């Protein structure tokens, strides 16, 4: 990784080791909760791709993976309030135990839209695993069965999270330097 990627980061919030430890714990909990169930893990591109990749390898059960792509932020740092489904799952949801793996719950608009959409397709159960839950005012009420970390209301990058499509490959999660967005 180049030094210039680090230069955009003001401080590290969650180290690579902390992320690995917590995702392993989440996987163990999910393994216990879904034993004997037909589990479909749905990830939300692109931010959750890295969390998904690590989480499913921490779940010691047979499972299927599928992907959706939605858009809420565009290239800026604040939520537009608009959620569009850009890519749908290919699997059938009906009768499956569906777990949505999401990188960050911010305004909650993305998860609200996804949960409502997938719930309407008749899953046997529907739950959310969010790596980060941001502490923001007026967050949509989303029941997250699994939360990795509570996160301050700052612009965070790394471990899948981007600013203008950069920083996703940082192995840690850090706060973006404010002057990077000016
Ligand atoms: C980000 C993030 C979540 C969503 C959370 O995605 O990955 O999916 O926003 O925000 P919300 O709770 O305010 O809806 P983004 O639209 O930036 O796309 P990306 O996953 O491709 O980075």
């Amino acid at each position: 990784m180049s030094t210039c990627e680090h230069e955009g980061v003001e401080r590290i919030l969650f180290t690579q080791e902390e992320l690995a430890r917590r995702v392993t714990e989440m996987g163990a909990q999910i393994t216990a909760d879904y034993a004997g169930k037909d589990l479909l893990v749905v990830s939300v591109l692109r931010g959750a791709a890295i969390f998904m990749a690590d989480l499913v390898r921490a779940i010691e059960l047979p499972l299927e993976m599928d992907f959706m792509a939605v858009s809420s932020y565009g290239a800026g740092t604040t939520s537009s309030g608009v959620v569009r489904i850009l890519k749908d799952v290919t699997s059938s949801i009906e009768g499956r135990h569906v777990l949505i793996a999401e990188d960050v719950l911010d305004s909650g608009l993305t998860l609200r839209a996804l949960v409502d959409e997938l719930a309407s397709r008749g899953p046997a159960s529907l739950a959310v695993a969010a790596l980060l839950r941001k502490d923001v005012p007026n967050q949509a009420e989303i029941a997250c069965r699994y939360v990795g970390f509570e996160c301050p209301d700052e612009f965070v990058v790394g471990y899948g999270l981007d600013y203008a499509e950069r920083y996703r490959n940082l192995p840690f999660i850090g706060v973006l330097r404010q002057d990077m967005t000016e």
Side-chain angles (χ1 to χ4, degrees):
M1 182 194 328
S2 71
T3 359
C4 38
E5 291 285 38
H6 281 93
E7 278 167 10
V9 174
E10 186 180 287
R11 68 181 196 282
I12 294 178
L13 277 183
F14 306 110
T15 65
Q16 186 170 4
E17 294 71 28
E18 286 168 332
L19 289 166
R21 201 177 314 127
R22 186 70 190 112
V23 172
T24 300
E25 283 173 4
M26 293 172 85
Q29 187 64 57
I30 292 165
T31 301
D33 293 350
Y34 286 87
K37 292 182 174 160
D38 174 25
L39 176 60
L40 172 66
V41 186
V42 175
S43 165
V44 189
L45 296 170
R46 286 171 269 185
I50 290 176
F51 171 51
M52 167 78 148
D54 285 344
L55 183 68
V56 292
R57 285 179 292 177
I59 301 173
E60 295 177 15
L61 294 173
L63 58 79
E64 279 185 38
M65 297 165 62
D66 208 332
F67 299 90
M68 292 182 81
V70 300
S71 174
S72 64
Y73 276 8
T77 58
T78 51
S79 179
S80 65
V82 178
V83 176
R84 285 184 303 146
I85 293 185
L86 305 176
K87 182 214 169 298
D88 208 340
V89 290
T90 47
S91 320
S92 168
I93 295 295
E94 197 176 348
R96 316 286 302 275
H97 290 277
V98 178
L99 179 65
I100 301 175
E102 179 56 307
D103 51 350
V104 57
L105 170 59
D106 194 341
S107 70
L109 292 171
T110 306
L111 275 170
R112 177 77 281 144
L114 285 173
V115 166
D116 290 350
E117 176 59 33
L118 296 184
S120 74
R121 301 181 192 179
S125 71
L126 181 60
V128 173
L131 178 63
L132 304 179
R133 181 165 56 196
K134 271 199 189 174
D135 181 17
V136 296
N138 306 316
Q139 189 174 68
E141 257 186 56
I142 307 288
C144 280
R145 189 180 295 166
Y146 312 95
V147 176
F149 297 97
E150 302 294 338
C151 179
D153 185 14
E154 299 196 73
F155 199 91
V156 291
V157 294
Y159 199 72
L161 294 152
D162 76 310
Y163 169 64
E165 297 307 326
R166 296 277 302 279
Y167 307 102
R168 292 194 198 271
N169 61 322
L170 296 179
F172 53 82
I173 292 177
V175 177
L176 188 68
R177 256 176 40 202
Q178 196 148 13
D179 61 313
M180 299 304 289
T181 65
E182 288 164 358

